[in-house]
Amino acid sequence: MDYKKVSRYVILGILFFLPVTFLLMLYPATHNYTPLDIVNESVSDLQSFSSNSEEPIILKDHITVVGFFGEDPLKSNTAALNLKELIYDKFKGFKKFQVVILMPKGTEDKAEKLKNEISTYEDLRFWHFVFASPEDIQRVFNSLKSESTLNQDLSSNNVFLVDKDLNQRGRLDDRTDKELEKKKSVYGLYSYDCIEVSEIKNKMSDDLRILFTEYRQKRKGEFDPSSSRTEDISVEKKN
C-alpha cells in the first residue's frame, strides 16, 4: 500500500470537507436567529416637525435612530460623534436607514454648526435634524418607552430604534450570561447611551444588524416571527 498516496488523499479530503462542514454549521445560525424585540408600539410620527430637507422627514417606512439634542446641540458633540462614527457610517448604505435628531425651533443654526463639526466631508444625507415646539418633542419622547426623562433643555444622551411600522425595538431581556446563570431578575434595554462607546459599538450595532436581517428575510418570505423571545420572557416573569 502506498501510504504517501493515501495520506495525500486524506489531507485533500479534510481540506475539502472542513469548509463545507463550517458552512453547514453556519447555515442554521443565519436562518434561525432571534429577532429584535418589540418593546413598545405606536411611536408618534413627525408630521408637525420641519426640516431643511426637500422631502418630509417621517419615521413610517424607515428604520430610524431617534435622538434628542435639545436647545444646545453642541453640548451633545460627543454623543453625536459616537453615533455618527459607530452607527451612521456603518449602516448609511442600507436602504431606508436614517438618523433623526429632534430639536426645538430656533436651534436651526446650532444644528448646522454641529452637522459641520461631525461631517468631516462625509455623506450625511440620511442624518436629519427636525424642529418643532417643546410640546411636540415631549409628545414624541413620551410615546417611547424609556427608563429616563428628557433633560430640562429637551436633550438626552440616549437614542432609540424605531422600525418601519412605528414600533420601538430593543431587548426585553438584556441580562448577561453570568446574570442568567445567577437567575437575576429580568431587565430590558429600551434605548442606547451614546456616551457609552461599548454599548453603541456592541449592543446597538448588533441590534441594528439583526433588525436589517429581519427585514431582508421578510422580503424573501423567510422570516419566522415565532422565534421571538417575547413569549419565553413573559413566561419567565410569571415564574
Short mmCIF file of all heavy atoms in Angstrom, two decimals, residues 1 7 17 24 28 34 80 105 121 133 143-144 148 161 163 177 198 212 218 220:
data_model
loop_
_atom_site.label_atom_id
_atom_site.label_comp_id
_atom_site.label_asym_id
_atom_site.label_seq_id
_atom_site.Cartn_x
_atom_site.Cartn_y
_atom_site.Cartn_z
N MET A 1 0.85 -1.20 0.00
CA MET A 1 0.00 0.00 0.00
C MET A 1 0.89 1.25 0.00
O MET A 1 1.87 1.32 0.73
CB MET A 1 -0.91 0.01 1.23
CG MET A 1 -1.84 1.23 1.28
SD MET A 1 -2.86 1.23 2.77
CE MET A 1 -3.89 -0.17 2.44
N SER A 7 -2.17 9.15 2.42
CA SER A 7 -2.06 10.34 3.27
C SER A 7 -2.43 11.60 2.49
O SER A 7 -3.11 12.50 2.99
CB SER A 7 -0.65 10.48 3.84
OG SER A 7 -0.34 9.38 4.64
N PHE A 17 -13.61 18.96 2.95
CA PHE A 17 -14.81 18.84 3.77
C PHE A 17 -14.87 19.84 4.94
O PHE A 17 -15.96 20.15 5.41
CB PHE A 17 -14.95 17.42 4.30
CG PHE A 17 -15.41 16.44 3.27
CD1 PHE A 17 -14.54 15.49 2.75
CD2 PHE A 17 -16.71 16.49 2.80
CE1 PHE A 17 -14.96 14.60 1.79
CE2 PHE A 17 -17.15 15.59 1.84
CZ PHE A 17 -16.27 14.64 1.32
N LEU A 24 -22.09 24.46 6.73
CA LEU A 24 -23.31 23.79 7.21
C LEU A 24 -23.61 24.18 8.65
O LEU A 24 -24.77 24.28 9.06
CB LEU A 24 -23.14 22.27 7.10
CG LEU A 24 -23.18 21.70 5.68
CD1 LEU A 24 -22.85 20.21 5.70
CD2 LEU A 24 -24.54 21.95 5.03
N PRO A 28 -27.76 27.13 9.88
CA PRO A 28 -28.86 27.31 10.83
C PRO A 28 -28.75 28.62 11.58
O PRO A 28 -29.75 29.24 11.91
CB PRO A 28 -28.70 26.12 11.78
CG PRO A 28 -27.83 25.14 11.08
CD PRO A 28 -26.93 25.95 10.21
N THR A 34 -32.58 35.11 16.65
CA THR A 34 -33.63 35.68 17.48
C THR A 34 -33.95 37.10 17.01
O THR A 34 -33.07 37.97 17.04
CB THR A 34 -33.20 35.73 18.95
OG1 THR A 34 -32.89 34.41 19.39
CG2 THR A 34 -34.31 36.30 19.83
N ALA A 80 -23.00 62.82 19.51
CA ALA A 80 -23.20 62.87 18.06
C ALA A 80 -22.05 62.21 17.31
O ALA A 80 -22.27 61.45 16.36
CB ALA A 80 -23.34 64.32 17.62
N LYS A 105 -37.60 74.43 17.84
CA LYS A 105 -37.48 75.50 16.84
C LYS A 105 -36.60 76.62 17.40
O LYS A 105 -36.65 76.93 18.58
CB LYS A 105 -38.86 76.04 16.47
CG LYS A 105 -39.67 75.09 15.60
CD LYS A 105 -41.00 75.70 15.21
CE LYS A 105 -41.78 74.77 14.28
NZ LYS A 105 -43.09 75.34 13.91
N TYR A 121 -16.55 66.12 5.79
CA TYR A 121 -16.68 65.94 4.34
C TYR A 121 -17.32 64.61 3.96
O TYR A 121 -17.14 64.13 2.84
CB TYR A 121 -15.31 66.06 3.66
CG TYR A 121 -14.60 67.35 3.98
CD1 TYR A 121 -13.54 67.37 4.88
CD2 TYR A 121 -15.01 68.56 3.40
CE1 TYR A 121 -12.90 68.55 5.21
CE2 TYR A 121 -14.37 69.75 3.71
CZ TYR A 121 -13.31 69.73 4.61
OH TYR A 121 -12.69 70.91 4.93
N SER A 133 -42.10 72.42 18.36
CA SER A 133 -42.27 73.05 19.67
C SER A 133 -41.82 72.08 20.76
O SER A 133 -41.80 70.86 20.55
CB SER A 133 -43.74 73.41 19.87
OG SER A 133 -44.53 72.22 19.96
N SER A 143 -44.04 58.94 23.79
CA SER A 143 -44.54 57.77 23.07
C SER A 143 -43.51 56.65 23.02
O SER A 143 -43.82 55.54 22.57
CB SER A 143 -44.96 58.15 21.65
OG SER A 143 -43.83 58.40 20.83
N LEU A 144 -42.29 56.95 23.46
CA LEU A 144 -41.22 55.96 23.52
C LEU A 144 -41.11 55.38 24.91
O LEU A 144 -41.37 56.08 25.90
CB LEU A 144 -39.88 56.60 23.14
CG LEU A 144 -39.75 57.10 21.71
CD1 LEU A 144 -38.64 58.13 21.60
CD2 LEU A 144 -39.51 55.93 20.75
N SER A 148 -35.61 56.78 31.53
CA SER A 148 -35.15 58.12 31.92
C SER A 148 -36.09 59.16 31.32
O SER A 148 -36.99 58.83 30.53
CB SER A 148 -33.72 58.35 31.43
OG SER A 148 -33.67 58.28 30.01
N LEU A 161 -34.40 53.01 18.78
CA LEU A 161 -34.60 52.37 17.48
C LEU A 161 -36.08 52.24 17.19
O LEU A 161 -36.83 51.69 18.00
CB LEU A 161 -33.96 50.98 17.46
CG LEU A 161 -32.44 50.89 17.52
CD1 LEU A 161 -32.01 49.43 17.40
CD2 LEU A 161 -31.79 51.73 16.46
N ASP A 163 -38.82 50.98 14.12
CA ASP A 163 -38.86 50.25 12.85
C ASP A 163 -39.86 50.88 11.88
O ASP A 163 -40.45 51.93 12.15
CB ASP A 163 -39.15 48.77 13.10
CG ASP A 163 -40.58 48.50 13.59
OD1 ASP A 163 -41.46 49.38 13.47
OD2 ASP A 163 -40.82 47.38 14.10
N ASP A 177 -24.78 36.51 30.30
CA ASP A 177 -24.77 35.06 30.56
C ASP A 177 -24.58 34.77 32.05
O ASP A 177 -25.23 33.88 32.62
CB ASP A 177 -23.67 34.38 29.76
CG ASP A 177 -23.97 34.37 28.27
OD1 ASP A 177 -25.15 34.52 27.91
OD2 ASP A 177 -23.03 34.22 27.47
N SER A 198 -18.97 51.29 24.33
CA SER A 198 -19.16 49.84 24.26
C SER A 198 -20.63 49.49 24.00
O SER A 198 -20.93 48.54 23.27
CB SER A 198 -18.69 49.18 25.56
OG SER A 198 -19.43 49.65 26.67
N PHE A 212 -32.06 44.63 10.42
CA PHE A 212 -31.95 44.61 8.97
C PHE A 212 -32.07 43.18 8.43
O PHE A 212 -32.65 42.97 7.36
CB PHE A 212 -30.63 45.23 8.53
CG PHE A 212 -30.66 46.73 8.49
CD1 PHE A 212 -29.91 47.48 9.38
CD2 PHE A 212 -31.44 47.39 7.56
CE1 PHE A 212 -29.95 48.86 9.35
CE2 PHE A 212 -31.49 48.78 7.52
CZ PHE A 212 -30.74 49.52 8.42
N LYS A 218 -37.94 39.04 5.57
CA LYS A 218 -39.35 39.30 5.24
C LYS A 218 -39.52 39.49 3.74
O LYS A 218 -40.50 39.01 3.16
CB LYS A 218 -39.84 40.55 6.00
CG LYS A 218 -40.14 40.32 7.47
CD LYS A 218 -40.61 41.59 8.15
CE LYS A 218 -40.99 41.34 9.59
NZ LYS A 218 -41.41 42.58 10.31
N LYS A 220 -37.77 38.14 1.48
CA LYS A 220 -37.57 36.84 0.83
C LYS A 220 -38.62 35.81 1.26
O LYS A 220 -38.62 34.68 0.78
CB LYS A 220 -36.18 36.31 1.16
CG LYS A 220 -35.05 37.14 0.58
CD LYS A 220 -33.70 36.54 0.95
CE LYS A 220 -32.55 37.31 0.34
NZ LYS A 220 -31.23 36.72 0.69
#
